[in-house]
Amino acid sequence: MEGIGYIASLLIGISLGLIGGGGSILTVPVMVYLFGLHPLLATSYSLFIVGTTSLVGAFTQYRKGLVNLKAALFFGAASVLTVFLTRRFLVPAIPHDILTIGNYTLSSSVLTMVLFALLMLVASIGMIREKNNAAEAPECPECIRLSKLLGYGVAIGLITGLLGAGGGFLLIPALVFLLRLPMKKAVGTSLLIIALNSLIGFAGDLGQFSIDWWFLLKIALIAIAGIFIGGALSVKIPGGKLKKGFGWFVLVMGIYIILKETILTLPQ
């Protein structure tokens, strides 16, 4: 299964390069089901992998002038602190056994995967239903206010901290509709926010888990290579159709994880 896991790691980066997001939603399932990691450790590894790949992607977008630094810093002011506190204090406080009903015990591992699968369902629906707008509203610099972003930033930080997901499918609509950033600039800006959130969140894990740095760096480098491959392919492949197809794939995977972690594991 490890060989398939390395291929999947490349695909994570390719999807980020092709559609500007989505790949991070597969990182935790890849770590759990293909590499056999514990779900909580998988969320930690996911933060590092998503953070490093997004940072590389953000740098390439910044060189093209497609990153709004003010929006990224204002958004990150709330979300980065929330991610760090969540990883440092909330995640370690989660008990191994959450709830017991009869012969069934809901463990933290199962809860993590089920919540992640629900996140996948929400993300997939957003990708499937997304419509391409031919005309975009003009950029609105005065819309970028810290007070406007605090609540949304905290919510993004909680999701990233608990589940190890970058949250690009939530960030991009917020940047487009709340701050009125053009879509391409919203994608580039979201990559920088995801990088900040994920890497600061991973820093909160240091000392909490035993990290296999060689394995982690290998996966991150493979995913980073995928970003450049995806960026090259994006010139030839229509992003809209690709995103919908990827959305259907994520939807099926989310349903499979829910079935696997709940119905298929119930005591007979």
Side-chain angles (χ1 to χ4, degrees), residues 152 179 260:
Y152 210 91
L179 305 186
K260 184 180 187 304

Side-chain angles (χ1 to χ4, degrees), residues 78-92:
S79 59
V80 165
L81 179 61
T82 304
V83 172
F84 181 83
L85 294 176
T86 299
R87 297 303 299 189
R88 176 59 69 176
F89 300 108
L90 182 57
V91 170

Side-chain angles (χ1 to χ4, degrees), residues 126 129-138 172-173 176-177 180-184 186 239-240 243-244:
R129 296 179 61 183
E130 183 177 287
K131 296 179 180 179
N132 295 322
N133 296 320
E136 293 181 330
I172 292 175
V176 170
F177 296 112
R180 289 172 55 184
L181 291 183
M183 179 57 73
K184 288 186 177 181
K243 182 170 284 191
K244 289 183 186 296

Side-chain angles (χ1 to χ4, degrees), residues 59-84:
F59 178 71
T60 59
Q61 295 299 311
Y62 176 76
R63 293 178 63 185
K64 299 175 183 177
L66 296 177
V67 174
N68 187 307
L69 291 177
K70 183 180 178 181
L73 293 175
F74 275 21
F75 225 125
S79 59
V80 165
L81 179 61
T82 304
V83 172
F84 181 83

Side-chain angles (χ1 to χ4, degrees), residues 18-264:
L18 278 171
I19 62 178
S24 62
I25 205 74
L26 296 179
T27 309
V28 169
V30 167
M31 293 293 108
V32 172
Y33 297 126
L34 297 182
F35 289 111
L37 298 185
H38 186 280
L40 288 179
L41 179 60
T43 62
S44 181
Y45 279 30
S46 175
L47 287 172
F48 182 84
I49 295 165
V50 170
T52 51
T53 52
S54 297
L55 187 61
V56 172
F59 178 71
T60 59
Q61 295 299 311
Y62 176 76
R63 293 178 63 185
K64 299 175 183 177
L66 296 177
V67 174
N68 187 307
L69 291 177
K70 183 180 178 181
L73 293 175
F74 275 21
F75 225 125
S79 59
V80 165
L81 179 61
T82 304
V83 172
F84 181 83
L85 294 176
T86 299
R87 297 303 299 189
R88 176 59 69 176
F89 300 108
L90 182 57
V91 170
I94 298 174
H96 181 270
D97 295 331
I98 306 294
L99 179 68
T100 299
I101 303 176
N103 295 326
Y104 179 75
T105 298
L106 176 64
S107 67
S108 59
S109 299
V110 171
L111 180 62
T112 298
M113 294 310 298
V114 169
L115 289 176
F116 200 91
L118 292 174
L119 187 68
M120 292 177 76
L121 297 184
V122 174
S124 66
I125 292 170
M127 286 185 277
I128 292 168
R129 296 179 61 183
E130 183 177 287
K131 296 179 180 179
N132 295 322
N133 296 320
E136 293 181 330
E139 193 166 349
C140 176
E142 63 272 16
C143 293
I144 303 175
R145 297 193 301 271
L146 182 60
S147 59
K148 196 173 187 178
L149 301 176
L150 281 176
Y152 210 91
V154 169
I156 295 288
L158 277 172
I159 292 172
T160 302
L162 284 172
L163 302 178
F169 69 97
L170 294 173
L171 277 169
I172 292 175
L175 293 170
V176 170
F177 296 112
L178 291 181
L179 305 186
R180 289 172 55 184
L181 291 183
M183 179 57 73
K184 288 186 177 181
K185 187 169 284 190
V187 170
T189 304
S190 74
L191 285 173
L192 180 55
I193 298 169
I194 290 168
L196 293 173
N197 284 347
S198 299
L199 292 176
I200 294 297
F202 179 77
D205 280 350
L206 296 178
Q208 308 277 359
F209 299 102
S210 178
I211 305 294
D212 184 344
W213 286 102
W214 172 237
F215 168 77
L216 194 54
L217 289 172
K218 279 194 301 184
I219 299 299
L221 288 173
I222 291 171
I224 288 170
I227 281 188
F228 291 106
I229 295 172
L233 291 175
S234 64
V235 180
K236 303 178 181 179
I237 301 177
K241 292 183 179 179
L242 185 69
K243 182 170 284 191
K244 289 183 186 296
F246 186 76
W248 283 108
F249 174 72
V250 172
L251 178 65
V252 172
M253 284 296 299
I255 293 171
Y256 167 76
I257 291 172
I258 291 174
L259 293 176
K260 184 180 187 304
E261 298 293 337
T262 56
I263 297 173
L264 299 182

